[in-house]
Amino acid sequence: LPQTVYMLVDKKVELESKRIKDFPEWSFLSEEDQNRLAILLFSSQRDAKRTCSKNQRVLKVPDSKVFHISSYYLLSKGITRLIIDDSLIALD
């Protein structure tokens, strides 16, 4: 992961996880993998703002190591993947 990443959260600053099957570029994965939850990350703020809707906001994560540190919490929420640019990163 890059040092600084950006992610989308809702207005209440809650994590927005989506199923991998919601991303058409990952449709070649197996059905089991497509049902996994993932967090979408961006390497640039401009890309994040471009996909941000009215009920979302962009959150800057200055140190991407936080995902490694908090992986236990993310896994307990059912989030097992991170998607950044064209990469799919497994947390488990």
Side-chain angles (χ1 to χ4, degrees):
L1 289 173
Q3 178 66 25
T4 302
V5 294
Y6 301 88
M7 61 188 295
L8 299 178
V9 294
D10 67 3
K11 289 288 185 177
K12 298 175 187 171
V13 191
E14 292 290 326
L15 283 177
E16 293 239 342
S17 61
K18 293 184 177 181
R19 299 221 177 267
I20 295 176
K21 65 181 172 184
D22 295 338
F23 302 100
E25 62 269 16
W26 299 104
S27 62
F28 64 89
L29 294 173
S30 68
E31 186 68 30
E32 178 185 349
D33 286 336
Q34 287 189 13
N35 286 324
R36 294 180 186 265
L37 291 176
I39 295 177
L40 184 60
L41 302 175
F42 300 90
S43 55
S44 73
Q45 185 178 16
R46 189 171 77 181
D47 290 339
K49 285 186 175 185
R50 192 177 302 144
T51 60
C52 187
S53 66
K54 290 183 180 183
N55 63 346
Q56 295 175 324
R57 62 186 232 181
V58 176
L59 181 70
K60 179 180 180 180
V61 181
D63 187 4
S64 62
K65 292 179 186 175
V66 72
F67 295 105
H68 177 67
I69 295 168
S70 64
S71 63
Y72 180 75
Y73 174 76
L74 294 173
L75 290 171
S76 71
K77 291 282 197 179
I79 301 168
T80 60
R81 302 288 187 261
L82 301 175
I83 298 175
I84 184 164
D85 298 330
D86 290 331
S87 301
L88 184 66
I89 300 168
L91 292 174
D92 51 357

